[in-house]
Amino acid sequence: MLEGLGRPVFSGVAIGKAYVYDPHQCELPVSCGDSKAELEKFNLALETAREQLTKLFEKTSAEIGEEQAMILDVQIMMLDDLDFIESAQDMIAGGASAAQAAHDAGDAFSAAFAAMDDEYMKARAVDVKDMARRLVDILCGGHTGFRMDEPGILVAEDLTPSETVQLPKDKILAFVTRQGSANSHTAILARIMNIPTLVQADISISPEINGKLMIVDGYDGRYYIDPDPAVVSSMVEKLRKAMAYKAELDKYRGKPSVSKSGKKVLLCANIGSAQDVRYALEGDAEGVGLMRSEFLYLGRDNFPTEEELYQAYKTVAEQLNGRPLVIRTLDIGADKQADYFGLEHEENPALGYRGIRICLTREDIFRPQMRAIYRAAVHGPVSAMFPMIISVDEVRQIKEFCRKIQSELYAENIPFGEVELGIMIETPAAAIISRELAKEVSFFSVGTNDLTQYTLAIDRQNAKLEAFHDAHHPAILSLLRTIAENAHAEGIWAGICGELGADLSLTDTFLEMGYDELSVSPGKILALRKKVCESEA
Amino acid sequence: MKEVKYVITDPLGIHARPAGLLVKEAAKCACKVTISVGGGAAVDAKRIMGVMRLAVKQGMEITMAFDGPDEDAAADALEAFLKANL
């Protein structure tokens, strides 16, 4: 038995045959001796690659989205690049085969990109490699020959975007990659597909693994190859329990979330990106109670345009098909930012220039965001929610700004919809003056993580403070009660979108306080609904 | 020989996508079209990898040079393209 560790990006247990995905499966043919014939082959391969990429581009833009499709459009242009083509042609004239030339020219250009200072351009090395690999595959007769005859576990070094698009998804039980991160293409796909996945696994990718029995434990971040009978039986038991629990929860799919005494609560999902909406739907969310905007800004070199923001928000609104969507505006600070924001280092970022404080002082950031949100509201019920509020005056400024955005859009003849405005209650100040704030907005959503950290003065990243931390501290519960009471006194709804919302030991308390909505990780909705339905509160 | 100088205003700079559009536009010209940044080496504006490798950011000034029979029309067309897209 061989066993090892990986970083789990999705939980669950998978048992099946291992399939090693090796993009370099074929041997490069050598030149037939006639450079004219090799040149002819190369030009034909360019033609075929262009056709394939164009088809893939159309499929991707229809099924996945414009942003992923753009990656392929750029690859088509790289394929037509004269620097690349001439470099390959020179190699062929010097005696190389078409396949060798495509491979070596691809390596040379991707190395040139990888050596650049610019992080964005560095990442384009993968695109060049992907494009060149396609040519090599064509020249080696068809594709790499990767096939899965039966469902199994895919083991790979890493997967490029065009590889993930082409995989036989219905047959993949789990992914294990040696590279990759929580935000890699593989991880995104794993979350969409709800399958156990390990990235950064300490696995050596060799053909010997192929066809062997493999187990992936996405709960503990472990994998086993040729597992011992004892491991197999304990994993089968783990899988059986997971399935039984899932089947039990599945009975609550599509059911209303109403307690025994008749209290109804809306169970929504927190999502971190536009792709996650599928996961929310699969989790049977009644809406999205928190769509974070940060992912649109991080991991890139410059601000997203209004159009990019609009497309992302619109995708989610459309897929929710009439269910409510609450978009939280950008919530970043010095501790979580991208370089291009140019935020100065701060001694105490949790109490610093962050969240709404950035938006209210940087119209260049706030304007495209609010315009995108108003435009997305044409496609479904969309609300906007603002983080880090401490005063009534801030809320009035936001409302004034939103009025301005609406008249701009109206004057420009750009369609936009109604957007309900709400705020996060995550500072003790906002909780204490919640009665006044409730007169200004349409809803509250309590961010319990920050509210707890600010109320208890405990940094949640500091492991030493764990002994002092009490998620159920009476001060927090008292604030939560006040917030709900004040919201209802002014006729608005109140929800919870922090981690506490999914704490089943508090569900009765929240129902009794009168919370109208709980927004949790998509995978926790059914368990929460079961708890609500069984509650006497 | 004609020259056009332009300061990039697009917050994205000459990213992969706009680089592609720029190359497509330059490819329409019969004359030789080059692009350079801050006195650096000029690259052929009809080749996407070279243009991308300039890694042009917002606020940088680029110089486009046109040399050939249709250089006047080409310079006008590219200048209009830059103003509209970058």
Side-chain angles (χ1 to χ4, degrees):
Chain A
M1 179 172 82
L2 200 69
E3 68 171 291
L5 301 170
R7 188 172 158 197
V9 292
F10 199 85
S11 62
V13 173
I15 304 176
K17 222 159 104 174
Y19 284 88
V20 175
Y21 181 87
D22 178 5
H24 309 289
Q25 263 166 353
C26 66
E27 293 214 352
L28 298 183
V30 292
S31 172
C32 63
D34 177 358
S35 60
K36 247 175 99 183
E38 290 295 330
L39 198 59
E40 189 63 28
K41 277 193 226 166
F42 181 77
N43 291 336
L44 274 173
L46 281 179
E47 194 59 47
T48 312
R50 203 173 293 126
E51 279 167 24
Q52 288 181 356
L53 278 169
T54 308
K55 271 196 202 131
L56 204 52
F57 170 79
E58 283 158 7
K59 181 176 146 86
T60 306
S61 53
E63 289 176 14
I64 299 181
E66 213 53 48
E67 211 168 315
Q68 291 281 321
M70 248 154 65
I71 297 171
L72 298 167
D73 192 31
V74 168
Q75 286 190 18
I76 296 175
M77 287 190 274
M78 288 177 165
L79 196 65
D80 287 329
D81 182 83
L82 285 173
D83 282 339
F84 172 75
I85 294 176
E86 281 168 11
S87 153
Q89 283 171 343
D90 283 350
M91 291 178 193
I92 293 172
S97 71
Q100 284 165 339
H103 179 266
D104 293 353
D107 271 4
F109 279 86
S110 103
F113 274 103
M116 286 175 71
D117 276 338
D118 183 312
E119 286 306 317
Y120 170 81
M121 288 300 170
K122 234 180 210 170
R124 303 281 70 73
V126 181
D127 293 312
V128 180
K129 261 215 163 114
D130 203 20
M131 175 275 286
R133 185 178 303 149
R134 178 176 302 282
L135 281 176
V136 174
D137 289 350
I138 292 165
L139 289 162
C140 290
H143 39 89
T144 40
F146 181 76
R147 274 180 49 199
M148 292 177 75
D149 303 322
E150 52 185 287
I153 294 163
L154 192 130
V155 181
E157 186 65 28
D158 201 4
L159 296 165
T160 65
S162 79
E163 282 166 348
T164 51
V165 173
Q166 289 169 319
L167 290 171
K169 295 196 191 70
D170 51 329
K171 293 216 168 62
I172 300 171
L173 302 174
F175 288 111
V176 177
T177 66
R178 216 175 65 78
Q179 296 181 34
S181 66
N183 296 314
S184 60
H185 290 284
T186 315
I188 290 168
L189 194 62
R191 280 198 287 265
I192 292 173
M193 293 168 61
N194 296 324
I195 58 173
T197 290
L198 308 179
V199 296
Q200 293 162 19
D202 58 356
I203 192 166
S204 85
I205 313 284
S206 75
E208 287 130 54
I209 305 172
N210 247 330
K212 291 199 169 152
L213 182 65
M214 184 166 179
I215 298 179
V216 177
D217 179 352
Y219 296 104
D220 291 345
R222 286 181 176 276
Y223 67 87
Y224 307 88
I225 293 165
D226 274 341
D228 296 338
V231 171
V232 175
S233 57
S234 83
M235 284 296 140
V236 167
E237 181 56 21
K238 206 167 184 173
L239 182 62
R240 199 191 57 77
K241 273 197 188 136
M243 308 259 280
Y245 183 61
K246 207 166 163 271
E248 173 65 26
L249 293 184
D250 262 341
K251 291 184 198 150
Y252 289 88
R253 198 170 279 280
K255 292 256 172 67
S257 312
V258 186
S259 75
K260 285 192 173 152
S261 69
K263 285 208 177 83
K264 196 169 171 5
V265 58
L266 199 70
L267 297 185
C268 295
N270 295 341
I271 61 172
S273 79
Q275 284 100 336
D276 286 351
V277 67
R278 288 162 89 164
Y279 191 16
L281 294 174
E282 281 172 25
D284 204 30
E286 294 162 48
V288 165
L290 166 64
M291 176 182 180
R292 298 181 178 89
S293 292
E294 293 77 72
F295 77 96
L296 290 159
Y297 291 81
L298 300 174
R300 53 185 294 154
D301 278 351
N302 33 46
F303 287 105
T305 59
E306 174 186 327
E307 193 58 28
E308 284 176 79
L309 295 167
Y310 165 64
Q311 288 297 341
Y313 295 150
K314 176 186 146 189
T315 309
V316 177
E318 280 179 347
Q319 294 195 47
L320 284 175
N321 201 10
R323 296 179 190 84
L325 164 63
V326 180
I327 300 170
R328 183 177 68 189
T329 58
L330 186 60
D331 188 17
I332 66 162
D335 52 337
K336 186 170 76 174
Q337 66 155 322
D339 288 345
Y340 65 89
F341 275 86
L343 299 183
E344 282 166 27
H345 171 78
E346 290 181 15
E347 283 301 315
N348 204 346
L351 306 181
Y353 185 54
R354 63 182 307 124
I356 199 66
R357 300 168 184 178
I358 294 180
C359 283
L360 282 177
T361 45
R362 289 280 302 267
E363 280 202 13
D364 59 319
I365 298 178
F366 204 20
R367 169 168 283 109
Q369 237 192 119
M370 288 316 301
R371 284 174 61 105
I373 293 173
Y374 272 97
R375 289 173 59 196
V378 171
H379 308 281
V382 169
S383 307
M385 170 160 87
F386 306 94
M388 282 296 285
I389 297 292
I390 57 166
S391 73
V392 171
D393 185 53
E394 286 165 345
V395 176
R396 292 196 179 133
Q397 279 185 55
I398 293 167
K399 286 164 72 182
E400 180 53 35
F401 187 77
C402 289
R403 272 192 288 274
K404 216 160 74 188
I405 294 293
Q406 285 170 286
S407 20
E408 276 176 25
L409 290 169
Y410 182 77
E412 292 166 42
N413 218 357
I414 296 173
F416 63 97
E418 285 278 325
V419 175
E420 293 213 323
L421 305 180
I423 54 174
M424 295 277 293
I425 303 285
E426 53 190 338
T427 62
I432 291 163
I433 61 162
S434 49
R435 183 72 189 254
E436 293 312 304
L437 291 169
K439 293 178 178 146
E440 300 286 337
V441 295
S442 304
F443 65 93
F444 286 162
S445 187
V446 187
T448 51
N449 303 6
D450 274 338
L451 186 62
T452 306
Q453 118 161 326
Y454 294 135
T455 305
L456 305 185
I458 283 185
D459 177 357
R460 55 186 204 222
Q461 318 287 357
N462 190 337
K464 275 195 202 128
L465 300 179
E466 252 165 49
F468 298 94
H469 187 265
D470 175 11
H472 299 186
H473 193 289
I476 306 298
L477 297 178
S478 159
L479 287 176
L480 277 163
R481 185 177 298 278
T482 306
I483 295 162
E485 277 170 9
N486 285 336
H488 294 147
E490 296 298 335
I492 66 168
W493 63 267
I496 296 176
C497 66
E499 277 165 34
L500 216 52
D503 185 334
L504 299 181
S505 68
L506 286 176
T507 308
D508 286 345
T509 311
F510 294 151
L511 285 172
E512 185 254 309
M513 287 176 180
Y515 275 94
D516 308 278
E517 183 236 38
L518 296 172
S519 194
V520 300
S521 307
K524 292 182 175 163
I525 287 176
L526 288 175
L528 188 54
R529 182 172 299 143
K530 177 171 185 281
K531 181 73 191 177
V532 169
C533 292
E534 288 167 358
S535 170
E536 305 281 346
Chain B
M1 167 90 162
K2 285 268 294 182
E3 258 190 23
V4 169
K5 285 190 189 295
Y6 181 78
V7 177
I8 302 298
T9 59
D10 189 316
L12 296 172
I14 306 186
H15 223 232
R17 179 90 173 156
L21 296 173
L22 178 75
V23 167
K24 281 181 186 162
E25 202 59 33
K28 292 181 194 158
C29 312
C31 63
K32 190 168 154 41
V33 186
T34 63
I35 174 167
S36 63
V37 186
V43 303
D44 188 338
K46 298 178 186 180
R47 305 184 175 198
I48 189 171
M49 299 224 218
V51 174
M52 278 173 70
R53 276 155 64 189
L54 289 174
V56 180
K57 300 270 166 241
Q58 183 182 25
M60 286 186 178
E61 188 184 56
I62 59 165
T63 305
M64 294 198 73
F66 304 83
D67 194 8
D70 64 340
E71 60 187 35
D72 289 332
D76 288 347
L78 264 297
E79 186 163 23
F81 169 83
L82 290 171
K83 282 184 181 153
N85 295 285
L86 285 160

